[in-house]
């Protein structure tokens, strides 16, 4: 939603919340109906986009999401295609926004199959973006 708001240059908190709730479904839609009912009763307020994000994350993201992501990252291995490995690694990085760049590179490299690891070492990759770009070039192998 934030990509959409940026592209559409939407900056108003109320518009952002009102637009987002249109896309909620299943348990998220039920959650919003309950929250909205409480708001209408004056029991509660969600006045900003940041507050909305905080509330929805509190409801649907496990409190230990970073720990779970770190455990998955430590066990992540390149066993199938490089593409699948890159997608899984990148999705885990979204759960670990505070991870240092050198640590990202370390975990990415450590999970690769030896032939891919050796090729990235041979090319002397210096950061995670370069490592992912080089790994994507290896997809043909």
């Amino acid at each position: 939603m934030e990509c959409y708001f940026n592209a559409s240059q939407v900056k108003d908190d109320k518009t952002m919340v009102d637009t987002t709730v249109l896309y909620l479904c299943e348990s998220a839609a039920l959650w919003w109906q309950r929250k909205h009912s409480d708001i209408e009763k004056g029991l509660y307020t969600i006045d900003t986009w940041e507050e909305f994000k905080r509330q929805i994350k509190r409801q649907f993201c496990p409190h230990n999401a970073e720990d779970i992501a770190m455990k998955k990252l430590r066990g992540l291995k390149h066993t199938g295609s490089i593409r699948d490995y890159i997608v899984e690694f990148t999705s885990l990085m979204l759960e670990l926004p505070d991870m240092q760049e050198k640590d990202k590179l370390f975990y990415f490299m450590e999970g690769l199959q030896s032939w891919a690891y050796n090729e990235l070492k041979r090319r002397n990759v210096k950061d995670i973006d370069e490592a992912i770009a080089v790994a994507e070039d290896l997809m043909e192998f």
Side-chain angles (χ1 to χ4, degrees):
M1 290 306 298
E2 288 182 333
C3 290
Y4 169 78
F5 295 142
N6 287 334
S8 302
Q9 298 181 343
V10 174
K11 306 265 188 250
D12 176 62
D13 285 330
K14 181 173 177 12
T15 302
M16 293 166 85
V17 171
D18 290 347
T19 302
T20 300
V21 299
L22 295 173
Y23 292 94
L24 298 178
C25 59
E26 298 176 9
S27 58
L30 293 172
W31 167 82
W32 178 249
Q33 287 175 354
R34 186 172 44 84
K35 287 290 183 193
H36 191 260
S37 176
D38 289 347
I39 291 168
E40 286 181 332
K41 292 174 187 171
L43 303 172
Y44 200 90
T45 60
I46 295 180
D47 295 330
T48 66
W49 174 243
E50 290 304 315
E51 176 65 13
F52 177 83
K53 289 191 308 183
R54 190 176 70 71
Q55 290 294 326
I56 202 164
K57 284 179 183 176
R58 191 174 103 193
Q59 178 67 32
F60 294 103
C61 290
H63 68 281
N64 60 344
E66 286 190 27
D67 292 340
I68 293 168
M70 273 305 293
K71 286 178 184 175
K72 287 181 181 178
L73 181 61
R74 283 196 311 257
L76 182 63
K77 299 292 178 211
H78 166 208
T79 56
S81 73
I82 289 182
R83 177 76 190 114
D84 290 343
Y85 177 74
I86 291 169
V87 168
E88 182 65 21
F89 179 86
T90 303
S91 69
L92 289 172
M93 288 302 99
L94 294 174
E95 298 293 325
L96 300 164
D98 297 329
M99 182 176 277
Q100 298 291 318
E101 290 299 311
K102 67 179 183 156
D103 294 331
K104 290 178 185 179
L105 180 59
F106 173 82
Y107 280 108
F108 183 80
M109 296 287 290
E110 283 301 302
L112 288 169
Q113 290 180 15
S114 60
W115 66 269
Y117 175 90
N118 291 334
E119 183 60 22
L120 268 66
K121 281 292 196 184
R122 188 185 72 75
R123 295 191 193 188
N124 199 28
V125 296
K126 299 287 188 209
D127 60 48
I128 189 60
D129 293 331
E130 182 182 9
I132 289 173
V134 170
E136 286 175 334
D137 286 345
L138 299 176
M139 280 196 261
E140 299 167 8
F141 296 111

